[in-house]
Amino acid sequence: MSYDDDSDDNPCDLECVRGGGRVQERVLHEYEGPVKITLVDLLDVGFWPRVWGAALITLASLYIAGIVATMVFFSLSFTAPTAVNLHIAMCMAGFQLLLPNGILMLNPLFGGASQLLGHDRLGQHIFLQLFGFGFIFIGSMHVCTSVDSLPGNPHTITGIMALLGTCVAVTLGALHHYKDMSKLKMAHKVAGMVTYIVSSLCTCFAIMKPSFKSWCKTGLIKEP
């Protein structure tokens, strides 16, 4: 039995395969006996796009791991006040680790989702998104309560935009979960993608700060 990428909870039986149904597969061999065994193989037209898609997802996961690990190491160096270190660690885990992995969880080519059915992937997506939102909210509150006024630099502006975008995306996702509408689903997707892009810009602005540059020279690069 095979499962379609868009509706994995609905299995495609042998008649579906033979009739050119939702999956593009072909029958290679059939063995008759006490039990009938049928071997099927994927067509090349469907195989290589999945291979390249999985490869690109793996590459994206490596980049995500690299930037998150670097920023967490920076926060653990305690070069900034405790509230700022917590802000960095929790917001990086929320924005750049949990949220993108929650998005990738809906893709069957993602390793963590490859063995899950559609409703299971959706459950993991919701869990990771809500968990990430909690990290983002707590991390944002840490820095907001530690200063009298927020500076008006690009990092702060994009950070606030990303936080608001996360709230919008979560709200739209909850509405779509309880009221299945295509427009809500599309709005939820767009809000999520825009939020991730803005949060990535926020991370870039943080990396360009003098404190991080100084740490890279003294904390990462050791003179012989």
Side-chain angles (χ1 to χ4, degrees), residues 36-106:
K36 184 176 182 179
I37 301 175
T38 303
L39 300 180
V40 296
D41 189 22
L42 295 174
L43 290 174
D44 292 339
V45 69
F47 176 73
W48 286 109
R50 285 193 287 269
V51 170
W52 285 109
L56 291 175
I57 289 176
T58 302
L59 183 62
S61 299
L62 292 175
Y63 279 113
I64 290 172
I67 185 62
V68 171
T70 301
M71 297 305 293
V72 169
F73 284 144
F74 172 70
S75 66
L76 291 177
S77 66
F78 295 100
T79 57
T82 303
V84 177
N85 289 324
L86 290 173
H87 163 72
I88 295 171
M90 301 198 75
C91 284
M92 282 301 300
F95 276 126
Q96 298 297 317
L97 182 63
L98 294 173
L99 291 191
N101 277 279
I103 295 173
L104 291 175
M105 190 59 68
L106 294 174

Side-chain angles (χ1 to χ4, degrees), residues 27 50 77 87-88 117 156 158 174 182 189 214:
V27 176
R50 285 193 287 269
S77 66
H87 163 72
I88 295 171
L117 299 181
T156 302
T158 52
S182 58
K189 289 181 177 180
S214 176

Side-chain angles (χ1 to χ4, degrees), residues 71-203:
M71 297 305 293
V72 169
F73 284 144
F74 172 70
S75 66
L76 291 177
S77 66
F78 295 100
T79 57
T82 303
V84 177
N85 289 324
L86 290 173
H87 163 72
I88 295 171
M90 301 198 75
C91 284
M92 282 301 300
F95 276 126
Q96 298 297 317
L97 182 63
L98 294 173
L99 291 191
N101 277 279
I103 295 173
L104 291 175
M105 190 59 68
L106 294 174
N107 193 318
L109 300 179
F110 181 56
S114 60
Q115 301 300 318
L116 300 178
L117 299 181
H119 67 277
D120 296 323
R121 292 204 301 266
L122 179 61
Q124 292 292 325
H125 167 76
I126 294 173
F127 171 76
L128 288 173
Q129 298 298 81
L130 292 179
F131 201 53
F133 178 71
F135 268 59
I136 292 167
F137 182 78
I138 296 174
S140 300
M141 291 302 103
H142 270 299
V143 73
C144 289
T145 56
S146 64
V147 295
D148 296 330
S149 60
L150 294 175
N153 53 43
H155 172 69
T156 302
I157 295 173
T158 52
I160 294 174
M161 292 173 60
L163 177 61
L164 295 177
T166 304
C167 296
V168 173
V170 170
T171 302
L172 291 173
L175 291 175
H176 170 65
H177 183 69
Y178 290 104
K179 189 174 183 180
D180 192 3
M181 293 177 58
S182 58
K183 291 183 178 180
L184 282 176
K185 183 178 181 179
M186 180 56 64
H188 173 62
K189 289 181 177 180
V190 172
M193 289 187 292
V194 171
T195 298
Y196 180 66
I197 293 173
V198 174
S199 68
S200 299
L201 289 175
C202 179
T203 303

Side-chain angles (χ1 to χ4, degrees), residues 2-11 22 106 108 113 116-119 121:
S2 302
Y3 291 92
D4 181 74
D5 291 346
D6 296 328
S7 56
D8 293 325
D9 295 332
N10 300 320
R22 290 176 291 107
L106 294 174
L116 300 178
L117 299 181
H119 67 277
R121 292 204 301 266

